[in-house]
C-alpha cells in the first residue's frame, strides 16, 4: 500500500513494498518521475544503500577478507541491497514519513537504513 504525502502544490507517493521508493512526484499536477518500468532500477527515486554506483564484479575486500555480492546488473553489483526489498513504514502523516529496512542477507555486515521523506510547500 502506497503512502501519500502532500503539501501545497506537491504530492509524493512512496511505495514501501518496492524498495521504499518515491513512486510518484507531482508538482502542479505534472509528474516528474518515471513511474513504471520493467526493472526496479529504471523507475522512481529509490534509496541506494549501503552503496551507490557499481561494485566491479560484485566483489570487494575489507579487513583482509573478500566479499562476493549478488550481481544484480551482471557482471556487477549496483546501487546497494535495499532498492528492491520491502520497507516497513514506521511513521506516516500528511507531510512526513519514515521507512526502515535491514541491509539484507545480500550484504555481509549487519545494519539498517532509515528513509525519511518530508514535503513542504517550498521544498
Amino acid at each position: 500500500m502506497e503512502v501519500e504525502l502532500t503539501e501545497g502544490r506537491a504530492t509524493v507517493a512512496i511505495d514501501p513494498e518496492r524498495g521504499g521508493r518515491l513512486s510518484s512526484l507531482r508538482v502542479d499536477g505534472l509528474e516528474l518521475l518515471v513511474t513504471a518500468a520493467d526493472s526496479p532500477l529504471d523507475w522512481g527515486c529509490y534509496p541506494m544503500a549501503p552503496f551507490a554506483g557499481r561494485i566491479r564484479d560484485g566483489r570487494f575486500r575489507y579487513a583482509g577478507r573478500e566479499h562476493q555480492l549478488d550481481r544484480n546488473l551482471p557482471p556487477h553489483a549496483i546501487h546497494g541491497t535495499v532498492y528492491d526489498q520491502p520497507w516497513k513504514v514506521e511513521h506516516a502523516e500528511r507531510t512526513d514519513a519514515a521507512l526502515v529496512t535491514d541491509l539484507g542477507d545480500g550484504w555481509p555486515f549487519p545494519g539498517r537504513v532509515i528513509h525519511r521523506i518530508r514535503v513542504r510547500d517550498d521544498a
Side-chain angles (χ1 to χ4, degrees), residues 5 12 14 20-22 91 95-99 115-119:
L5 309 180
V12 173
I14 307 159
R21 73 187 59 229
L22 304 187
H91 164 85
T95 62
D96 181 86
L99 288 75
H115 185 199
R116 181 101 188 243
I117 304 105
R118 293 182 184 149
V119 178

Side-chain angles (χ1 to χ4, degrees), residues 29-82:
L30 177 65
E31 180 60 57
L32 301 176
L33 298 177
V34 173
T35 59
D38 291 336
S39 168
L41 294 169
D42 295 337
W43 68 279
C45 179
Y46 48 88
M48 295 182 225
F51 64 92
R54 286 182 176 87
I55 295 181
R56 182 180 297 277
D57 298 321
R59 220 178 334 200
F60 70 96
R61 200 166 193 50
Y62 178 76
R65 186 166 173 217
E66 187 163 307
H67 300 276
Q68 179 67 56
L69 305 177
D70 293 335
R71 296 181 211 180
N72 54 354
L73 189 66
H76 310 297
I78 192 166
H79 297 337
T81 60
V82 300

